[in-house]
Amino acid sequence: MKKIMLTGCLGQIGTELTLHLRDRYGNDNVLATDCNKTGPDEIMQSGPFEVLDVLEADRMADLCVKYKINTIIHLAAILSAVGEEKPQRAFNVNMIGLFNVLEVAREKQLQVFTPSSIAVFGESTPQNMTPQDTIQRPNTIYGVTKVAGELLSDYYYTKFGVDTRGIRLPGIISHMAMPGGGTTDYAVHIFYEAVKNRRYASFIAEGTRMDMIYMPDCLKAITMLLEADPVRLRHRNSFNIASMSFAPEDIAAEIKKHIPDFELTYDVDPVRQAIADSWPNCMDDRCAREEWGWKPDYDLSLTTKDMLEKLSAKLNIKL
Ligand code: NAD
């Protein structure tokens, strides 16, 4: 039976992943942790929660012993746009935090799952059908720490036998928690603004395609790889996964099918645009499909329909 500890559980992914894993493995078997002290009642009340800053290695080790943890899902990180404002903080949290996780995993032989990102790629990477194994020269501190994190995780697997696994997540579209300061956040904001105001000014320019994934597929991918037969895994850190790739005008066209008077304008942020321009248009995820059976359920059309329904109910606004 899995005994899981999540770090950074109060963010965009952790908020939903914690509940998903508690459903799957039992509430008491999933310890939620974050450096923030409070979060949604559903998380704080459905199972154990502890405050943990991932820079505190001793406390991390103590919690693993106290809760008999055998798997760490390491979500705590500083994301791309925030990282460019605070590069030293991003280095510390993303690198030292992961190192602390890997060290405790080495000592106690725990499984470790760490999401990587499309941010591991850069301008010299092939932009279309970006291969699994290719050039990785990112131009953000976030990307640099994610590449180093992939290498470090592979090192702990080959050198110490730690069962490390990861996926290169695209931008995530979701409706429970707001995104935490990434370059793809526009693809969430656009839905909130469409429901609330029927208009949105995108900080990403027309024609900029990036990979995206809907949260239910993200949860599915993490669970599938966590449970995948290790014998089949030729790669470990980290797998390309893809489900849809679009530009702002494509998502606006889908929203217009449900909200005909929705209006998209542009107010481009040069920092986030430069990051977006250096990321792939779409990734080749054949290795994930072949090695652990990855297959998404949601395309842009299904995602748009579901997001608008869920947000209309959440915000209590009729479409
Ligand atoms: P988020 O920013 O929404 O949440 C991160 C959480 O980590 C927050 O709750 C924050 O309080 C916590 N945290 C920050 N510093 C911490 C510290 N020192 N100790 C403990 N907790 C700390 O991020 P997210 O979107 O949920 O991302 C989770 C993981 O997935 C990250 O590794 C991120 O790089 C990766 N990822 C996310 C996306 C995306 O679009 N959301 C895309 C690709 C990869």
Side-chain angles (χ1 to χ4, degrees), residues 10-13 34 36 52-54 75 116 142 146 170 172:
L10 297 177
Q12 186 188 10
I13 298 177
D34 199 284
N36 283 333
L52 172 66
D53 185 325
V54 291
L75 303 177
S116 186
Y142 176 65
K146 285 294 179 186
I172 295 162

Side-chain angles (χ1 to χ4, degrees), residues 105-168:
R106 178 182 66 78
E107 280 168 11
K108 303 181 191 315
Q109 284 299 303
L110 316 178
Q111 185 186 36
V112 177
F113 184 96
T114 313
S116 186
S117 163
I118 51 174
V120 294
F121 300 119
E123 279 157 6
S124 50
T125 305
Q127 296 260 306
N128 293 311
M129 290 303 278
T130 303
Q132 173 67 41
D133 302 307
T134 186
I135 301 163
Q136 295 181 251
R137 306 286 294 178
N139 60 6
T140 59
I141 187 69
Y142 176 65
V144 168
T145 62
K146 285 294 179 186
V147 174
E150 290 188 359
L151 295 173
L152 200 57
S153 300
D154 273 346
Y155 179 78
Y156 269 71
Y157 170 64
T158 49
K159 178 86 177 172
F160 303 119
V162 178
D163 182 355
T164 56
R165 304 175 183 204
I167 51 184
R168 290 179 184 138

Side-chain angles (χ1 to χ4, degrees), residues 7-15 33-36 52-56 74-80 82 89 92-94 97 114-119 142 146 167-173 177-185 212-213 215 222 279:
T7 68
C9 80
L10 297 177
Q12 186 188 10
I13 298 177
T15 305
T33 75
D34 199 284
C35 64
N36 283 333
L52 172 66
D53 185 325
V54 291
L55 299 177
E56 294 173 2
H74 179 45
L75 303 177
I78 304 296
L79 272 61
S80 59
V82 178
R89 177 82 186 146
N92 281 334
V93 174
N94 297 5
T114 313
S116 186
S117 163
I118 51 174
Y142 176 65
K146 285 294 179 186
I167 51 184
R168 290 179 184 138
L169 281 171
I172 295 162
I173 300 174
M178 290 305 281
T183 302
T184 51
D185 293 5
M212 303 276 178
I213 189 169
M215 185 61 89
I222 293 173
W279 288 358

Side-chain angles (χ1 to χ4, degrees), residues 201-314:
S202 171
F203 61 75
I204 294 296
E206 186 173 1
T208 311
R209 281 178 64 215
M210 284 183 278
D211 274 304
M212 303 276 178
I213 189 169
Y214 194 34
M215 185 61 89
D217 274 335
C218 169
L219 303 180
K220 173 177 156 175
I222 293 173
T223 315
M224 281 183 81
L225 182 52
L226 208 58
E227 295 177 0
D229 178 357
V231 175
R232 289 181 62 197
L233 300 182
R234 283 195 307 108
H235 296 85
R236 280 184 166 264
N237 301 282
S238 285
F239 284 91
N240 286 359
I241 60 162
S243 66
M244 55 186 137
S245 161
F246 56 78
E249 65 272 23
D250 303 320
I251 194 167
E254 276 304 322
I255 291 173
K256 267 173 172 288
K257 291 179 185 168
H258 304 268
I259 307 175
D261 58 343
F262 174 70
E263 201 186 321
L264 175 66
T265 56
Y266 294 91
D267 181 12
V268 174
D269 169 12
V271 174
R272 283 179 285 190
Q273 184 61 39
I275 297 175
D277 286 339
S278 74
W279 288 358
N281 297 332
C282 60
M283 288 188 289
D284 180 346
D285 65 355
R286 269 176 298 179
C287 291
R289 289 173 189 258
E290 285 162 14
E291 292 176 42
W292 48 276
W294 164 241
K295 189 170 173 292
D297 294 326
Y298 287 84
D299 59 11
L300 179 56
S301 163
L302 284 174
T303 301
T304 304
K305 184 171 176 294
D306 202 56
M307 275 294 283
L308 292 175
E309 276 171 17
K310 296 280 170 25
L311 284 180
S312 146
K314 176 177 170 176

